Amino acid sequence: MANHMNAAKHKPTGKSLLGGAMIIAGTTVGAGMFSLPVVGAGMWFGYSILMLLGIWFCMLMSGLLLLETNLHFEPGASFDTLSKQTLGQFWRIVNGVSIAFVLYILTYAYISGGGSIVNHSLQGMGIELPQSVAGLVFAIVLASIVLISTKAVDRITTIMLGGMIITFFLAIGNLLIEIDVTKLLEPDGNNRFSPYLWAALPFGLASFGYHGNVPSLVKYYGKDSSTIIKAIFVGTFIALVIYVCWLVATMGNIPRSQFIDIIAQGGNMGVLVGALSEVMASSWLNSMLSLFANLAVASSFLGVTLGLFDYLADLFGFDDSRSGRMKTALVTFVPPTILGLLFPDGFLVAIGFAALAATVWAVIVPALMAYKSRQLFPESTGFRVIGGTPLIILVVLFGIVTGACHLLAMAHLLPQYS
């Protein structure tokens, strides 16, 4: 973890470290975690854990590099302001386009995932519905909450997060008790594992996206860098622990060979939950798992679309009146919902594309901004991430390699488990 180097003394804000850590953890953990066991099936458990550890470190460092830059500016400075002031107009535009793309493609991913898990839940009640229609219903219901107000999203998301925690530990706790260690350590199928790691890298990166919250934490805590660093570390570490437990629970209960069928069906959330449901000890625990999946994708959808909604309202100059919010809602929700109707099983593909854009704004741009800010503020005695320029180069290379892996996988030039 990064340390202070000649850090400036700042009075503590008195605000809870736990609050900041929960903001980071809540943003990081979401429906994207359902992609991890599916894309990790080829390399299986050992390599999946190694990949997560490496990605966690690189994403932690990129977040701290962003924080280093942010602390040179007044609290409240946005990601847009930071990129413009340090890297110039070109990178500001590149950064803005990549953020908008990530928010749009994730909205589509969660409509696809939401339709899949809602469909799975309805089938459990004996109700048959086309997945595209289930996705449409999912989008309309949750979009109406965003349309009402930010306060409505805040209250609903708080309730959902509480429900997620309870249902996660009930369902996953049981799965962890029931794991078959031989499934984790001696997987069936072919014995090739490491070649599948490269195509999975983008999905791991997408599972550690919290960087949009760093300016918010600076605004919240002021320039109390020590507390912000701890909040980022604790929040991302909680996410890492949850992901490791999730991989143990899924890979310890579903044989590696069975993932071939899950992937063949599109690898969507409902398919994975359906496979887990077959090994659950009781229908009640099965219901807890389904409820967790529904809450995870719904809270992820609300968090992402609220950010997209506010971003587009500012971009197009729509006001906060009823007609203004309706215009913003149409621009926000119609394009990804149409995609969800046309391509209902695009969850994994969309997460991969989100990772491709995230390599720019969450990895490469923060590293470049830190490098530039050290040139702009050479006399600064504030927080500086340890590792110097070599660490910045490492983070940039991580972003480039991950983006390249996604493009190569799309071109079928990397081995993919199927």
Side-chain angles (χ1 to χ4, degrees):
M1 181 185 172
N3 284 315
H4 284 97
M5 289 185 66
N6 304 317
K9 302 272 185 187
H10 295 293
K11 291 182 180 179
T13 60
K15 293 178 179 175
S16 162
L17 165 65
L18 182 64
M22 287 301 102
I23 288 171
I24 295 295
T27 302
T28 306
V29 178
M33 66 185 282
F34 285 84
S35 70
L36 292 176
V38 180
V39 299
M43 58 181 166
W44 205 239
F45 182 68
Y47 282 105
S48 291
I49 298 301
L50 286 174
M51 181 193 76
L52 282 179
L53 285 169
I55 289 175
W56 169 69
F57 174 78
C58 289
M59 294 298 275
L60 172 63
M61 290 300 111
S62 69
L64 292 175
L65 287 168
L66 173 58
L67 173 63
E68 180 186 324
T69 301
N70 208 154
L71 290 172
H72 291 299
F73 297 85
E74 286 303 307
S78 67
F79 211 128
D80 180 68
T81 299
L82 300 180
S83 58
K84 181 183 178 183
Q85 294 295 327
T86 56
L87 300 177
Q89 187 68 11
F90 172 77
W91 279 104
R92 178 196 183 191
I93 293 170
V94 170
N95 194 58
V97 169
S98 64
I99 291 174
F101 180 79
V102 167
L103 294 175
Y104 260 124
I105 203 71
L106 283 178
T107 300
Y108 161 63
Y110 297 146
I111 290 172
S112 171
S116 175
I117 195 62
V118 166
N119 203 27
H120 169 76
S121 302
L122 291 174
Q123 285 173 353
M125 296 183 284
I127 302 171
E128 292 291 334
L129 199 66
Q131 188 167 306
S132 57
V133 176
L136 178 63
V137 173
F138 173 87
I140 290 173
V141 170
L142 292 176
S144 63
I145 297 171
V146 179
L147 179 60
I148 292 168
S149 68
T150 301
K151 183 180 284 188
V153 174
D154 181 29
R155 290 179 176 175
I156 296 293
T157 304
T158 302
I159 295 168
M160 285 181 173
L161 286 173
M164 275 176 63
I165 293 168
I166 295 167
T167 53
F168 178 80
F169 284 108
L170 285 172
I172 304 308
N174 178 262
L175 285 170
L176 289 172
I177 293 169
E178 298 294 326
I179 66 164
D180 180 354
V181 178
T182 58
K183 284 190 174 75
L184 292 176
L185 304 180
E186 298 175 17
D188 53 13
N190 68 58
N191 292 321
R192 296 172 70 239
F193 300 101
S194 57
Y196 297 111
L197 184 148
W198 301 105
L201 277 179
F203 297 88
L205 184 150
S207 299
F208 283 100
Y210 63 90
H211 298 66
N213 288 123
V214 173
S216 302
L217 289 186
V218 174
K219 186 177 181 180
Y220 181 65
Y221 289 111
K223 294 197 174 184
D224 182 9
S225 57
S226 176
T227 303
I228 301 171
I229 294 163
K230 290 173 186 173
I232 293 172
F233 177 83
V234 173
T236 56
F237 188 75
I238 288 171
L240 176 66
V241 171
I242 288 172
Y243 292 157
V244 170
C245 290
W246 177 237
L247 288 178
V248 172
T250 50
M251 293 179 172
N253 283 281
I254 302 175
R256 185 180 183 226
S257 57
Q258 195 174 330
F259 275 95
I260 294 175
D261 185 49
I262 292 172
I263 294 166
Q265 295 179 61
N268 216 322
M269 290 176 64
V271 181
L272 178 61
V273 171
L276 283 170
S277 299
E278 294 176 5
V279 299
M280 297 294 274
S282 70
S283 58
W284 181 79
L285 289 169
N286 182 17
S287 298
M288 289 298 100
L289 179 63
S290 294
L291 182 55
F292 166 70
N294 278 287
L295 290 171
V297 71
S299 62
S300 294
F301 179 89
L302 288 174
V304 166
T305 54
L306 180 62
L308 180 59
F309 188 93
D310 291 340
Y311 178 86
L312 293 173
D314 180 55
L315 180 67
F316 292 112
F318 296 142
D319 60 29
D320 208 36
S321 65
R322 182 174 295 181
S323 63
R325 291 186 71 84
M326 182 58 72
K327 291 175 189 174
T328 309
L330 289 173
V331 177
T332 303
F333 296 110
V334 170
T337 303
I338 291 172
L339 267 181
L341 287 168
L342 296 175
F343 308 103
D345 270 323
F347 177 69
L348 283 180
V349 175
I351 294 290
F353 273 111
L356 179 63
T359 59
V360 176
W361 76 270
V363 183
I364 295 171
V365 167
L368 294 179
M369 287 197 302
Y371 180 76
K372 187 66 176 179
S373 68
R374 291 175 187 182
Q375 296 177 330
L376 293 172
F377 307 100
E379 304 301 321
S380 173
T381 57
F383 165 68
R384 179 174 287 192
V385 181
I386 60 170
T389 303
L391 179 81
I392 291 176
I393 293 170
L394 173 68
V395 171
V396 171
L397 284 175
F398 164 69
I400 292 170
V401 168
T402 304
C405 283
H406 177 71
L407 295 173
L408 290 170
M410 280 182 60
H412 303 291
L413 296 175
L414 286 179
Q416 297 177 66
Y417 192 62
S418 61

